[in-house]
């Protein structure tokens, strides 16, 4: 079923909306959720929570890209669960990815706010626009999708070491980009 | 900057970059870790010469005559009263909601009294949900859905119930009788109507919805009758297209009593946001247990929790054991629930760039593997 039709089902509050959404996107939702949570049980809960969140937000939302919207909701839902779990259990995979990025991001000890995160996100987008496609995909797969370095290497048909080195250089490039923009590092 | 802030900042990455990264394809791989202990199983390939559509209709008739059904429950508990939804508010009345886990027979139902002038514009068929939508020339709509019955607990707020149970703009709710069943009729401020009732004996919940404020939904509900045949869904052409892209892979060996039930699929094309095609064949036994065989192409973009690589590494498995083996020449994994019962079986065909997922309730690992071994392309 095409995305427009699924969105119309949500607007008409048809129960089929979630069924059709699941048929089409559960695989992707599961991937995103599991990359962050690394627990099958938490992933299953996250999938259900994602469907519930999408149901509650469409309408009034009418996303231009249902796929991107659902992935975003899934990621945010997974992150919410991840942060709850963090105190109890450390997820080394996702933490490692975040720690990598922390090396090149601002280390401002002052009050942190959503505004700062949004501004930083804007700068990251501006940075991504300067990259070639492969570099950009590598960065997004690592830090948005939380794919492992090994997974990314497989995607790009290259060696793990090449991906590690490339990501390191991209982080350095991001750090220089942020410094040029006046973002404290 | 703490991890939470970092993850929030990354969350603002533009959708177009996320979608671009989704288009990236894996190179075809069929990795076999030769240091691992593997169990080689024969993978017999057989061809069966029949068209997919004929199989669908014939098997549907067989399945319906077998009088079984299956549905997956989101809630657990004992079925007690009529199926209904809650509309943004708590409801009152002598009702209790739960639904039971386990198989449920849906059968094939149709609102025989659908008014003249209404034509089917959309319908879908799955083992746990059947639905059809009718429209007339004036644009008025009637929707008929039936699935596993769900029940509302007295005093339960609507947001405690899973999606599909929230109604907005409810002006009035009325208790009604639909034959021998209790039902709830919701009248909306915009003239829409929702009617819910259940066949308690069969554990099937029914819903009628209309945008026509003058339609007597209770009268229409009384005309809902069971038919001998399952309908062919309106999106069958898309399923056919997906079958053409992937190929029609089916098992020739099934546990006793299982018959073909239905096929769902979606093709891979320029407009397909999923980026891959999939086909799911579902089989059902007289008790309503179901076997799903799902085949996807471009397997590298599908569920990472099910890629063979993850199965090999077991890196993500907290509570689920995974036994790795080969199915013919294909890497495979049998994933088990924490209680040791099979969860699903997955294998990849690197030559065809396909991933197969076989999922069933109540089957042993050996039974799942026997079904998987028999999966072959239907000529």
């Amino acid at each position: 079923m095409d995305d427009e039709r699924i969105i119309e089902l949500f607007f008409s509050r048809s129960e089929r909306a979630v069924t059709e959404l699941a048929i089409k996107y559960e695989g992707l939702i599961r991937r995103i959720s599991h990359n962050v949570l690394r627990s099958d049980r938490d992933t299953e809960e996250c999938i259900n929570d994602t469907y519930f969140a999408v149901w509650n937000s469409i309408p009034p939302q009418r996303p231009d890209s249902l796929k991107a919207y659902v992935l975003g909701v899934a990621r945010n839902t997974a992150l919410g669960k991840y942060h709850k779990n963090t105190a109890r259990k450390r997820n080394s995979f996702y933490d490692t990815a975040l720690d990598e990025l922390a090396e090149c991001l601002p280390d401002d000890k002052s009050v942190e706010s959503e505004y700062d995160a949004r501004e930083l996100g804007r700068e990251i987008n501006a940075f991504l626009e300067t990259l070639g496609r492969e570099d950009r995909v590598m960065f997004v797969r690592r830090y948005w999708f939380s794919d492992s370095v090994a997974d990314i290497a497989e995607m790009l048909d290259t060696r793990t070491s090449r991906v590690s080195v490339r990501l390191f250089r991209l982080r350095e490039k991001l750090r220089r980009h942020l410094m040029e923009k006046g973002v404290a590092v | 900057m703490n991890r939470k802030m970092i993850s929030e900042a990354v969350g603002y990455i533009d959708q177009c970059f996320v979608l671009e990264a989704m288009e990236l394809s894996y190179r075809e791989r069929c990795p076999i870790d030769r240091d691992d202990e593997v169990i080689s199983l024969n993978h017999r390939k057989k061809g069966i010469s029949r068209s997919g559509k004929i199989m669908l209709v014939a098997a549907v008739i067989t399945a319906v005559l077998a009088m079984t059904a299956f549905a997956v429950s989101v809630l657990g508990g004992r079925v007690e009263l009529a199926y209904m939804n809650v509309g943004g508010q708590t409801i009152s009345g002598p009702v209790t909601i739960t639904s039971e886990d386990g198989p449920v027979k849906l059968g094939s139902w149709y609102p025989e009294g659908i008014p003249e002038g209404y034509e089917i514009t959309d319908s879908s068929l799955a083992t746990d949900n059947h639905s059809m939508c009718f429209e007339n020339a004036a644009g008025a709509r009637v929707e008929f859905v039936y699935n596993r019955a769900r029940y509302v607990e007295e005093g339960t707020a609507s947001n405690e119930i899973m999606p599909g149970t929230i109604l907005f703009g409810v002006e009035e709710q009325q208790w009604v009788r639909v034959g021998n069943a209790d039902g709830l009729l919701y009248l909306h401020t915009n003239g829409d109507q929702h009617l819910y009732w259940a066949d308690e004996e069969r554990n099937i919940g029914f819903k009628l919805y209309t945008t026509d404020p003058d339609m007597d939904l209770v009268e229409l509900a009384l005309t809902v009758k069971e038919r001998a045949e399952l309908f062919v869904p309106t999106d069958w052409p898309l399923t056919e297209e997906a079958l053409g892209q992937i190929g029609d892979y089916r098992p020739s060996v099934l546990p006793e009593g299982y018959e073909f039930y239905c096929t769902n699929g979606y093709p891979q094309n320029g407009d397909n946001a999923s980026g891959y095609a999939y086909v799911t064949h579902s089989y059902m036994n007289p008790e309503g247990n179901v076997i799903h065989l799902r085949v996807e192409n471009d397997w590298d973009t599908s569920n990472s929790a099910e890629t063979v690589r993850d199965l090999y590494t077991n890196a993500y498995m907290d509570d689920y054991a995974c036994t790795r083996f080969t199915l013919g020449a294909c890497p495979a994994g049998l994933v088990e629930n924490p209680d040791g019962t099979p969860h699903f079986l997955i294998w990849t065909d690197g030559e065809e760039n396909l991933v197969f997922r076989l999922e069933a309730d109540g089957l042993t690992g050996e039974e799942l593997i026997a079904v998987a071994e028999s999966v072959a392309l239907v000529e």
Side-chain angles (χ1 to χ4, degrees), chain B residues 169-209:
Chain B
V170 173
E171 185 173 51
E172 183 183 347
Q173 65 181 46
Q174 300 174 3
W175 284 98
V176 297
R177 293 290 292 179
V178 180
N180 295 326
D182 286 323
L184 261 182
L185 178 66
Y186 292 94
L187 305 177
H188 295 258
T189 52
N190 64 352
D192 290 359
Q193 304 178 64
H194 277 96
L195 173 63
Y196 299 88
W197 76 103
D199 182 328
E200 290 181 47
E201 191 179 328
R202 301 272 295 273
N203 199 22
I204 300 171
F206 297 93
K207 182 192 89 170
L208 276 171
Y209 161 78

Side-chain angles (χ1 to χ4, degrees), chain B residues 267-310:
Chain B
Q268 177 183 30
N269 54 41
D271 298 328
N272 181 7
S274 298
Y276 58 88
Y278 69 85
V279 171
T280 301
H281 295 302
S282 301
Y283 303 83
M284 188 183 291
N285 73 358
E287 288 72 44
N289 296 297
V290 174
I291 296 172
H292 297 290
L293 172 65
R294 179 177 170 113
V295 188
E296 296 176 8
N297 66 2
D298 200 13
W299 66 270
D300 46 270
T301 62
S302 52
N303 187 336
S304 73
E306 299 168 338
T307 61
V308 176
R309 187 179 315 103
D310 285 337

Side-chain angles (χ1 to χ4, degrees), chain A residues 1 5 12 14-16 23-24 30-31 34 38-39 67 94 99 106 125 136 141 143 154 157, chain B residues 1 3 10 12 14 20-21 26-27 29 122 124 131 141 143 266 273 278 303 309 316 318:
Chain A
M1 179 176 287
R5 180 74 184 114
S12 66
S14 167
E15 294 166 12
R16 270 184 59 201
I23 287 172
K24 197 166 184 182
R30 186 181 295 276
R31 180 189 183 114
H34 194 270
R38 295 290 167 167
S39 158
K67 178 181 178 180
Y94 189 55
D99 289 344
N125 280 318
R136 185 164 54 238
R141 294 303 311 209
Y143 300 117
E154 189 72 23
D157 193 22
Chain B
M1 180 171 281
R3 289 194 187 116
V10 169
Y12 287 109
D14 204 279
E20 178 190 50
Y26 284 70
R27 291 299 181 86
R29 292 265 181 200
D122 195 11
S124 76
S131 69
R141 196 165 77 243
E143 194 173 301
Y266 201 81
Y278 69 85
N303 187 336
R309 187 179 315 103
Y316 70 98
D318 286 349

Side-chain angles (χ1 to χ4, degrees), chain B residues 96-305:
Chain B
T96 308
I97 281 187
T98 45
S99 61
E100 268 189 31
D101 291 328
V104 169
K105 169 79 170 177
L106 285 185
S108 178
W109 302 82
Y110 191 87
E112 304 290 352
I114 191 79
E116 197 173 327
Y118 279 87
E119 304 286 340
I120 280 192
T121 55
D122 195 11
S123 63
S124 76
L125 189 66
T127 55
D128 57 353
N129 184 291
H130 297 177
S131 69
M132 51 190 77
C133 185
F134 306 81
E135 288 184 25
N136 66 9
R141 196 165 77 243
V142 173
E143 194 173 301
F144 175 56
V145 179
Y146 53 100
N147 45 31
R148 167 185 289 276
R150 283 169 289 167
Y151 301 75
V152 179
E153 192 167 299
E154 185 176 359
T156 302
S158 64
N159 60 6
E160 295 178 19
I161 304 173
M162 279 302 292
T165 65
I166 300 173
L167 303 176
F168 296 93
V170 173
E171 185 173 51
E172 183 183 347
Q173 65 181 46
Q174 300 174 3
W175 284 98
V176 297
R177 293 290 292 179
V178 180
N180 295 326
D182 286 323
L184 261 182
L185 178 66
Y186 292 94
L187 305 177
H188 295 258
T189 52
N190 64 352
D192 290 359
Q193 304 178 64
H194 277 96
L195 173 63
Y196 299 88
W197 76 103
D199 182 328
E200 290 181 47
E201 191 179 328
R202 301 272 295 273
N203 199 22
I204 300 171
F206 297 93
K207 182 192 89 170
L208 276 171
Y209 161 78
T210 185
T211 58
D212 182 354
D214 298 322
M215 185 176 292
D216 188 332
L217 276 192
V218 175
E219 281 299 308
L220 183 59
L222 290 171
T223 72
V224 170
K225 297 286 186 289
E226 190 165 14
R227 288 184 167 183
E229 301 177 9
L230 277 178
F231 56 90
V232 178
T234 53
D235 59 359
W236 175 249
L238 291 173
T239 301
E240 275 190 312
E241 189 178 346
L243 283 167
Q245 291 175 349
I246 291 176
D248 193 356
Y249 288 82
R250 300 191 188 230
S252 58
V253 170
L254 289 169
E256 188 177 343
Y258 280 86
E259 302 282 350
F260 176 81
Y261 189 84
C262 68
T263 297
N264 284 288
Y266 201 81
Q268 177 183 30
N269 54 41
D271 298 328
N272 181 7
S274 298
Y276 58 88
Y278 69 85
V279 171
T280 301
H281 295 302
S282 301
Y283 303 83
M284 188 183 291
N285 73 358
E287 288 72 44
N289 296 297
V290 174
I291 296 172
H292 297 290
L293 172 65
R294 179 177 170 113
V295 188
E296 296 176 8
N297 66 2
D298 200 13
W299 66 270
D300 46 270
T301 62
S302 52
N303 187 336
S304 73

Side-chain angles (χ1 to χ4, degrees), chain A residues 70-160:
Chain A
V70 168
L71 291 183
V73 171
R75 185 176 183 275
N76 289 337
T77 305
L79 286 176
K81 192 174 282 291
Y82 165 77
H83 291 305
K84 266 190 195 173
N85 290 346
T86 298
R88 291 185 286 111
K89 184 173 74 175
R90 192 164 184 270
N91 179 336
S92 60
F93 290 93
Y94 189 55
D95 288 345
T96 301
L98 293 179
D99 289 344
E100 284 175 12
L101 214 49
E103 294 168 8
C104 59
L105 290 180
D107 190 22
D108 192 346
K109 297 285 194 278
S110 61
V111 173
E112 291 158 340
S113 67
E114 185 177 327
Y115 175 76
D116 291 332
R118 192 179 304 128
E119 280 299 298
L120 183 57
R122 267 203 277 271
E123 288 306 326
I124 292 175
N125 280 318
F127 165 71
L128 290 174
E129 283 183 9
T130 67
L131 302 180
R133 183 173 181 264
E134 188 175 273
D135 282 348
R136 185 164 54 238
V137 167
M138 203 182 289
F139 186 97
V140 172
R141 294 303 311 209
R142 179 66 180 144
Y143 300 117
W144 197 94
F145 285 87
S146 305
D147 284 324
S148 68
V149 171
D151 279 351
I152 298 171
E154 189 72 23
M155 277 183 226
L156 299 175
D157 193 22
T158 185
R159 298 186 307 278
T160 305

